[in-house]
Amino acid sequence: MFNLMLYVVTVLIWGTTWLAIKWQLGVVPVPVSIAWRFLLASLVLMLVLLLRREWRLPPKAAMPFVLAQGVALFCLNFLCFYHAEQTVPSGLVAVIFSLAPILNAINGKLFLKREMQPSVLVGAVVGLAGIVCLFLPEWRHWQAGMGQGVLVAALGTICFSSGNLLSSRMQGMGLTPLFTNAWAMLVGATILTVGSLLAGLSFEPEWTPRYLSALVYLAIPGSVIGFTAYLMLVGRIGPDRAAYCTLLFPVVALVASSLFEQYQWTGWTVLGLLLVVAGNLIGLANARRALWAMLTGRQLQPG
């Protein structure tokens, strides 16, 4: 049941953060908004570690992984998605992100030497077909930069997948997501802050209820709670099965996009969404059994 709680929390929070990201775009430069988000989130996590008497510097053996996770998961990943949402509806960006399970399986094969089934490649083709269907209605309203936005979102998903593997590696070293997130978020925020200052960007936030509420939501529920819950799932059941929760992100995100961004549902939208979900389920071996095991906390039996 604890796995189910982590799953639901992650889906509900991350399925709505795409819209909050959209609300941050405009006045404040993208790197500055992300820096504020993770400065605030890392501060909250550091305070939690202090209250739990668990604050300490990362072990020397884990430091390269903490630095790499900070760059991939809390810097490049979000730079990509914030920029993508400048030209692509937030719900469609979430759909691209839902290819994370397949990327996790591929990266697990490349970097962790985990077995990858041929069905992963079939699932990738089906999932990509779904994305094509989702974007077919958008061709009539295609704007300059949307193609680049799609590619940038795909790059962000690759960075997210890399961060998953790094977290799995550190949890194998006995480090909790609460601890590694606190330091990795600080690394990402520091890089973004230094880069923004060198570029001469202003750090003054937009003093509007919309921007500030989005910042708080992204920092506390979106980062502190969402990333901790998700990466706990990664440690408990592995990055492949943990990424199943991304299958429901597009549903939540597209509903939010239709309510607040006037996104129009069509037959192509429904077909594309079904293909993306089907592609992910096909792409992971024993998908239904693995999902059931994740939700119930039971161990998979061979065969």
Side-chain angles (χ1 to χ4, degrees):
M1 289 302 294
F2 187 60
N3 287 347
L4 175 60
M5 183 188 73
L6 294 175
Y7 180 89
V8 171
V9 167
T10 304
V11 168
L12 291 179
I13 291 176
W14 279 3
T16 52
T17 52
W18 306 100
L19 186 62
I21 289 174
K22 199 80 169 184
W23 287 352
Q24 283 204 310
L25 300 175
V27 177
V28 182
V30 165
V32 173
S33 286
I34 305 172
W36 276 119
R37 172 179 178 172
F38 289 119
L39 282 171
L40 179 57
S42 63
L43 175 61
V44 171
L45 286 174
M46 292 292 183
L47 289 175
V48 171
L49 290 175
L50 283 171
L51 291 174
R52 291 163 59 104
R53 297 184 179 180
E54 296 176 0
W55 189 95
R56 67 186 189 281
L57 293 174
K60 184 179 295 185
M63 187 62 75
F65 300 108
V66 172
L67 294 174
Q69 187 186 40
V71 173
L73 196 55
F74 301 119
C75 181
L76 296 180
N77 171 37
F78 283 92
L79 282 174
C80 289
F81 282 118
Y82 273 68
H83 280 294
E85 290 211 27
Q86 292 181 359
T87 55
V88 181
S90 61
L92 294 182
V93 175
V95 171
I96 297 171
F97 181 70
S98 72
L99 293 176
I102 292 175
L103 286 175
N104 280 1
I106 294 173
N107 286 335
K109 170 65 175 178
L110 293 176
F111 300 107
L112 299 181
K113 308 303 180 184
R114 292 175 175 166
E115 181 181 357
M116 184 177 70
Q117 301 292 330
S119 58
V120 170
L121 297 179
V122 177
V125 172
V126 174
L128 289 174
I131 289 180
V132 171
C133 291
L134 279 163
F135 276 93
L136 279 178
E138 300 298 318
W139 282 107
R140 292 175 296 175
H141 312 290
W142 196 263
Q143 301 175 3
M146 285 191 70
Q148 182 183 22
V150 172
L151 293 176
V152 169
L155 178 60
T157 307
I158 293 173
C159 292
F160 173 82
S161 177
S162 301
N164 284 196
L165 298 182
L166 290 164
S167 177
S168 180
R169 177 69 177 84
M170 288 187 287
Q171 290 184 64
M173 301 169 67
L175 301 176
T176 67
L178 188 70
F179 177 81
T180 56
N181 283 354
W183 286 104
M185 285 180 185
L186 182 60
V187 168
T190 301
I191 293 172
L192 290 163
T193 299
V194 173
S196 298
L197 290 174
L198 291 175
L201 301 179
S202 171
F203 262 76
E204 183 177 358
E206 182 182 343
W207 300 105
T208 62
R210 180 181 171 117
Y211 181 89
L212 295 176
S213 61
L215 174 61
V216 172
Y217 183 77
L218 289 169
I220 309 302
S223 300
V224 173
I225 300 175
F227 269 102
T228 301
Y230 176 75
L231 293 178
M232 284 178 69
L233 269 179
V234 169
R236 290 169 67 89
I237 62 177
D240 294 356
R241 283 188 282 161
Y244 272 117
C245 62
T246 65
L247 299 178
L248 292 183
F249 291 170
V251 179
V252 178
L254 285 173
V255 169
S257 185
S258 62
L259 291 174
F260 297 100
E261 297 180 293
Q262 290 76 52
Y263 180 79
Q264 300 296 318
W265 288 73
T266 66
W268 286 111
T269 301
V270 176
L271 175 61
L273 191 60
L274 290 175
L275 285 174
V276 169
V277 173
N280 279 281
L281 291 175
I282 292 170
L284 295 173
N286 301 317
R288 285 181 294 180
R289 292 174 61 238
L291 181 59
W292 175 251
M294 182 195 72
L295 295 179
T296 61
R298 297 177 182 176
Q299 295 294 321
L300 282 174
Q301 299 299 321

